[in-house]
Amino acid sequence: MKKLILSTAALALTAGFAMADTVRMGTEGAYPPYNFINDAGNLDGFEIVLGNELCKRASLTCEWVKNDWDSIIPNLVSGNYDTIIAGMSITDERDEVIDFTQNYIPPADSAYVATSADADVAGGVVAAQTATIQAGYIAESGAALIEFATPEETVAAVRNGEADAVFADKDYLAPLVDESGGELVWAGADVPLGGGVGMGLRESDGELKAKFNAAIDSMKADGTLNALIIEWFGENAATY
Amino acid sequence: MKTCAQTVSDYAFRAIGYGERLLPRSDFTICEQFTLIGSGMIWNIYFGVIALCTGFFFAVALAVGKSSERWIYRRPSELFIFLFRGSPLFIQFFFAYFFFLSLKKNYAFFDPLTAAWLGAVIVLFLNTAAYSAEIFYGALRSIPKGDTEAADAYGLTGWSRFRRIIFPTMMRLAWPAYTNEAIFLFHATALVFFSAFPARGQKGDALYYASYFADKTFNPFVPYPILAFYFILLTLVVIGIFGVVNRQLNRHLPQAAVPKLRVRPNLIR
Amino acid sequence: MFSYCADPSTLDTFRWLTCYLTTGVHMSFYKSFLLVLALLAVTAPVALSFGFLGAMSARSPMKPVSWLGKGYIAIVRGVPDIAFFLFFVIALDQSFELIKHNIVCPDWTDPIRQGNDFLVCPQAKVPLGTSPEYVHQLYGFLLAVITFAIVFGAFAANVLYGGMQAVPRAQLETAEAYGMTRRQTFWRVLVPQMWVYALPGLSNLWMVLIKATPLLFLLGIEDIVYWARELGGTKTSKFSAYPHPDWRMWYFLFLLIFYLSFTKVSEVVLERVMRRLNKGQATSGGEAMRKEASA
């Protein structure tokens, strides 16, 4: 009899384990300061710290998965990981296919960077990364769009004169401008694009979405999110 | 809702800059995907055809150089062929783009080199020349001894010996393998905008538009099979055209002896 | 790595380089070379067996089987490998999960496709959501191997098919005359004989396989090109102790050297294999060896 009880207990235990599945978090690892690989070869960045904190608050076991940007959404809906936390702006297009949590970075500006402040950003040649909201924006503006596969190449294009300016997330460009020694400068006016950065989830995963939303709420409420944003994006970053 | 005919007239030549300026951005139809990806094929065909036509002559020169007994011709040809056959096209594109950029910085004359229409064609030209040269070289070495002896007996020497005896036989022997090279060159054109050269004004090749749609619809299972469909079509056309040439090359032989154009991947990248 | 690496900004060039080249990311870079080599080593035999099956079915006297084999060869070879890689891994993964789903969760009533989502029961996930990370990575590796093997299997099938056709008819007729069955003829005469005809094509295929590895990152494998790009890109001092401008050029140069030397080594080895196979064969290569030996 005792044996029987024991084995039922063991069964309940394993069932319990099965319930507490690890949440797999998909990220790109190539977009500082949001997410990148540090010198030690580990994932690092604002979103990694944030993601771990959110998981802690939602009492979830989380695990990080690196995935190429181009296939990051198809792999999410196909179930290879459960969330995307990769500096992904909330847009209507994306929202049709996947769900987003509330944003954890307020709608941020995209900005132009050029070698001189009076570069022709409205009618000149503007570089952007393929398949980003920035590329879509430039395609619709009057400027001639030139697309590169990686953000690295878009900035290189300005340095070597292939493009008059590069248009990308301001937060991505800021450290590059700071350290370029005056070679790169801001140009034109900043453009608010997208609905802030949020965590992407499958549409059928409402429960997980609620958990993360609650965790983001609590981080917004106690100010830790703002502190984190300032730590990674600098004093001038938009906060809540 | 646009009709499909309207879509075709708007986007059929979008890849080279004619038609609607903006790409479709929502409610993507199958028709739009077919039209734009097809439009992108213009670039793939352009790259392939130009590189093949120009690369052919360079390849013949290289093959002759490699089989030369003088090291001054042989060594450079060997080195060139090894360099281009031994490295991935991907990396060749990368270096070429860097190289063209630095040329451009110093001399304005080289401006167009960093654009795909010229720069990528040059890389593909060099690449296919190296691969074809190896094929031609192999053919050159297996020319039946009788043929050259006959040429000698007729007193043919130098250029006319090459043009009238060596070259036609070499072509005849190399043609099946060369057909493969042509097919794979067309496949290789898909790499141009994918990894090497920037696309300007959303004018790109078939893969560029396919990945545009895959990115917008988040569904890779429609655009990529369409792309595959176009490439299979292109492959069939290439095999057809090369088959006609093959028959021409072998028209003097008794029909039973004509080697069938067995498409075998002899020398591919 | 070294004790003096604590503050790299103070070091002289040589020491700085020794620190820089031994960071954790660089170790991942070096490991990715092993990964690529391992993948090649696993893929080659798998692709060869796919090719063998393809060639066998293409030769089959049963029409549908023969069409299947020929269709496989024609379709896969007609499509650029990039186009294939871009959607095939996800397709493969989903089909595995679907099959497993039908086996382990026959009572599952929810639809598998809800909008864009692909949902199988949790027990049917491949690998299971509870499995440790290395299982996921192993699975990713496996998917890449299968995808590569399917593509290159089609090429190998074509080469082997040609090799089988090239075996002189007289050999097969002799076998028949000795009273061998079809099956015996195939395994005891055709298969041992075909390699010498197929090897030039196969060695080319090997070279092509080597040069296709830069596309591995499309299959979700962090290969050498992925790391070269990652490491070579501009690093700002904010996020790295080793800031540097765009160094992709040097990393790619290193890759170029790697590929060229790998090709060279392969050429030498394959040349030796060819010599062995040619020994005693009634081909021009075998003839040349006989002459050499008697001279």
Side-chain angles (χ1 to χ4, degrees):
Chain A
M1 192 63 206
K2 198 171 172 187
K3 206 171 175 184
L4 192 73
I5 291 168
L6 252 177
S7 61
T8 2
L11 206 70
L13 209 67
T14 43
F17 268 125
M19 291 301 287
D21 263 0
T22 42
V23 175
R24 290 165 57 78
M25 316 262 276
T27 192
E28 190 199 6
Y31 203 55
Y34 295 88
N35 54 76
F36 59 94
I37 319 268
N38 62 17
D39 289 335
N42 301 322
L43 278 169
D44 202 347
F46 167 76
E47 286 173 324
I48 312 303
V49 179
L50 173 76
N52 287 335
E53 178 64 25
L54 289 177
C55 287
K56 207 168 85 191
R57 292 192 183 213
S59 3
L60 297 164
T61 331
C62 292
E63 200 171 66
W64 291 95
V65 184
K66 251 189 294 175
N67 198 88
D68 194 41
W69 177 255
D70 286 338
S71 62
I72 207 161
I73 290 183
N75 271 311
L76 174 79
V77 294
S78 176
N80 291 337
Y81 35 78
D82 308 304
T83 68
I84 296 175
I85 170 161
M88 185 176 272
S89 300
I90 302 170
T91 64
D92 293 343
E93 274 176 352
R94 288 175 182 146
D95 214 4
E96 273 176 30
V97 183
I98 58 174
D99 250 1
F100 282 100
T101 61
Q102 57 173 309
N103 55 32
Y104 52 77
I105 295 178
D109 289 342
S110 295
Y112 294 96
V113 160
T115 46
S116 78
D118 54 358
D120 183 10
V121 298
V125 179
V126 179
Q129 187 186 359
T130 316
T132 52
I133 49 173
Q134 285 84 11
Y137 176 82
I138 297 294
E140 285 170 45
S141 79
L145 170 67
I146 177 167
E147 285 169 288
F148 292 86
T150 59
E152 176 74 34
E153 286 164 288
T154 59
V155 180
V158 174
R159 288 210 163 102
N160 59 39
E162 278 289 90
D164 298 324
V166 48
F167 186 58
D169 274 332
K170 195 168 184 180
D171 296 323
Y172 170 75
L173 294 170
L176 295 168
V177 172
D178 291 344
E179 293 199 11
S180 67
E183 189 194 0
L184 297 177
V185 292
W186 301 106
D190 294 351
V191 185
L193 278 186
V197 174
M199 195 189 274
L201 301 119
R202 276 184 297 275
E203 289 192 317
S204 51
D205 241 357
E207 201 183 327
L208 196 61
K209 179 180 165 181
K211 279 185 191 166
F212 276 117
N213 266 335
I216 296 173
D217 271 337
S218 88
M219 280 187 77
K220 279 182 178 169
D222 65 12
T224 41
L225 185 57
N226 282 345
L228 202 59
I229 291 176
I230 287 171
E231 181 194 335
W232 285 96
F233 296 100
E235 288 294 333
N236 302 326
T239 54
Y240 290 98
Chain B
M1 199 66 200
K2 279 201 281 193
T3 64
C4 193
Q6 179 65 34
T7 307
V8 171
S9 78
D10 281 351
Y11 289 119
F13 296 101
R14 177 62 180 76
I16 46 174
Y18 296 99
E20 200 78 354
R21 192 177 74 87
L22 293 176
L23 298 184
R25 273 155 302 157
S26 55
D27 305 324
F28 306 94
T29 61
I30 294 284
C31 176
E32 281 170 342
Q33 305 203 15
F34 257 102
T35 313
L36 265 170
I37 295 172
S39 166
M41 287 302 285
I42 298 172
W43 278 105
N44 296 90
I45 294 170
Y46 162 81
F47 289 138
V49 169
I50 304 283
L52 262 188
C53 292
T54 52
F56 177 82
F57 296 100
F58 190 32
V60 173
L62 280 170
V64 173
K66 189 172 174 180
S67 55
S68 163
E69 274 161 22
R70 312 250 310 261
W71 71 268
I72 191 144
Y73 297 124
R74 197 178 63 242
R75 298 302 298 179
S77 312
E78 276 176 359
L79 185 71
F80 177 88
I81 293 173
F82 174 68
L83 215 59
F84 277 88
R85 288 185 72 232
S87 60
L89 182 61
F90 192 86
I91 290 180
Q92 291 167 22
F93 271 130
F94 178 85
F95 278 106
Y97 188 69
F98 257 62
F99 178 66
F100 292 154
L101 272 179
S102 58
L103 273 184
K104 181 180 167 175
K105 233 180 227 165
N106 297 320
Y107 310 97
F109 171 74
F110 293 111
D111 245 18
L113 277 179
T114 51
W117 70 266
L118 184 60
V121 164
I122 292 177
V123 180
L124 288 167
F125 153 74
L126 295 173
N127 186 282
T128 188
Y131 278 89
S132 315
E134 188 65 25
I135 297 173
F136 293 158
Y137 170 73
L140 210 52
R141 290 216 313 179
S142 43
I143 290 179
K145 232 173 136 185
D147 286 24
T148 45
E149 278 168 359
D152 293 339
Y154 275 100
L156 289 172
T157 50
W159 172 243
S160 69
R161 178 174 181 263
F162 177 76
R163 194 178 63 86
R164 299 176 63 170
I165 309 292
I166 310 276
F167 180 73
T169 313
M170 176 175 97
M171 279 301 112
R172 201 161 53 75
L173 294 175
W175 205 255
Y178 189 58
T179 308
N180 275 304
E181 166 52 24
I183 294 171
F184 291 108
L185 177 68
F186 278 104
H187 288 185
T189 58
L191 264 178
V192 172
F193 290 106
F194 189 72
S195 68
F197 288 81
R200 286 156 208 262
Q202 296 184 308
K203 290 175 283 208
D205 74 333
L207 182 61
Y208 172 85
Y209 290 114
S211 50
Y212 176 84
F213 284 115
D215 178 63
K216 294 288 175 195
T217 59
F218 306 103
N219 180 3
F221 298 123
V222 178
Y224 293 127
I226 293 178
L227 175 73
F229 163 79
Y230 275 117
F231 266 99
I232 290 175
L233 221 58
L234 182 63
T235 306
L236 290 177
V237 171
V238 171
I239 292 177
I241 293 174
F242 275 68
V244 171
V245 177
N246 192 42
R247 275 200 292 285
Q248 273 293 311
L249 285 171
N250 290 295
R251 66 188 184 282
H252 61 287
L253 292 179
Q255 280 315 297
V258 173
K260 261 184 48 205
L261 191 63
R262 207 173 49 219
V263 181
R264 287 171 57 179
N266 262 335
L267 296 151
I268 44 185
R269 40 182 67 68
Chain C
M1 189 79 175
F2 303 106
S3 52
Y4 53 80
C5 291
D7 186 9
S9 57
T10 58
L11 296 173
D12 56 89
T13 316
F14 174 75
R15 285 186 161 203
W16 189 89
L17 266 181
T18 58
C19 290
Y20 175 69
L21 291 175
T22 52
T23 54
V25 247
H26 276 86
M27 290 300 158
S28 309
F29 179 48
Y30 307 138
K31 265 186 230 151
S32 68
F33 281 89
L34 295 181
L35 183 76
V36 167
L37 292 179
L39 192 122
L40 280 173
V42 178
T43 308
V46 179
L48 202 59
S49 43
F50 275 42
F52 196 77
L53 288 179
M56 247 168 75
S57 64
R59 274 176 56 90
S60 164
M62 280 191 294
K63 280 283 174 232
V65 179
S66 154
W67 286 333
L68 199 72
K70 285 182 177 157
Y72 162 59
I73 298 176
I75 290 177
V76 177
R77 289 189 55 236
V79 180
D81 42 9
I82 321 173
F84 211 77
F85 291 165
L86 280 169
F87 73 95
F88 199 73
V89 173
I90 296 183
L92 203 62
D93 178 39
Q94 292 194 350
S95 50
F96 281 160
E97 292 191 343
L98 196 62
I99 293 168
K100 191 174 171 195
H101 176 86
N102 286 332
I103 296 169
V104 289
C105 313
D107 309 325
W108 192 260
T109 46
D110 292 347
I112 303 279
R113 293 206 170 271
Q114 299 179 14
N116 294 289
D117 296 359
F118 177 82
L119 294 170
V120 290
C121 64
Q123 295 85 351
K125 282 248 153 257
V126 185
L128 289 173
T130 47
S131 356
E133 181 56 24
Y134 79 91
V135 178
H136 286 276
Q137 282 181 356
L138 211 62
Y139 178 65
F141 184 81
L142 190 76
L143 285 182
V145 167
I146 296 175
T147 316
F148 252 61
I150 286 177
V151 172
F152 287 93
F155 293 105
N158 203 35
V159 174
L160 291 177
Y161 183 76
M164 289 177 186
Q165 302 290 56
V167 174
R169 280 240 25 108
Q171 299 258 7
L172 306 181
E173 280 161 11
T174 313
E176 276 161 29
Y178 273 101
M180 286 191 189
T181 60
R182 241 193 99 82
R183 173 179 290 245
Q184 283 173 328
T185 315
F186 181 77
W187 287 106
R188 296 190 190 170
V189 179
L190 189 68
V191 172
Q193 296 272 354
M194 72 177 185
W195 296 109
V196 69
Y197 300 99
L199 194 73
L202 289 179
S203 39
N204 260 306
L205 200 54
W206 170 250
M207 303 292 182
V208 177
L209 189 63
I210 296 173
K211 275 166 271 157
T213 49
L215 295 179
L216 271 177
F217 76 97
L218 293 181
L219 305 180
I221 299 278
E222 282 160 8
D223 71 328
I224 47 184
V225 174
Y226 167 87
W227 283 111
R229 272 191 176 167
E230 168 66 37
L231 290 167
T234 312
K235 295 276 180 296
T236 52
S237 62
K238 201 166 167 197
F239 308 118
S240 169
Y242 305 90
H244 63 74
D246 188 350
W247 278 0
R248 283 177 302 160
M249 177 82 121
W250 304 111
Y251 284 92
F252 274 76
L253 197 63
F254 184 60
L255 292 191
L256 183 69
I257 294 168
F258 167 75
Y259 277 111
L260 286 178
S261 25
F262 197 17
T263 306
K264 192 81 213 170
V265 171
S266 303
E267 267 178 9
V268 172
V269 172
L270 287 166
E271 180 68 25
R272 287 214 178 137
V273 176
M274 191 66 203
R275 280 184 71 87
R276 262 193 88 94
L277 280 181
N278 262 329
K279 217 168 181 179
Q281 283 283 353
T283 59
S284 55
E287 190 61 33
M289 281 177 76
R290 246 191 304 283
K291 276 185 190 151
E292 252 172 59
S294 59

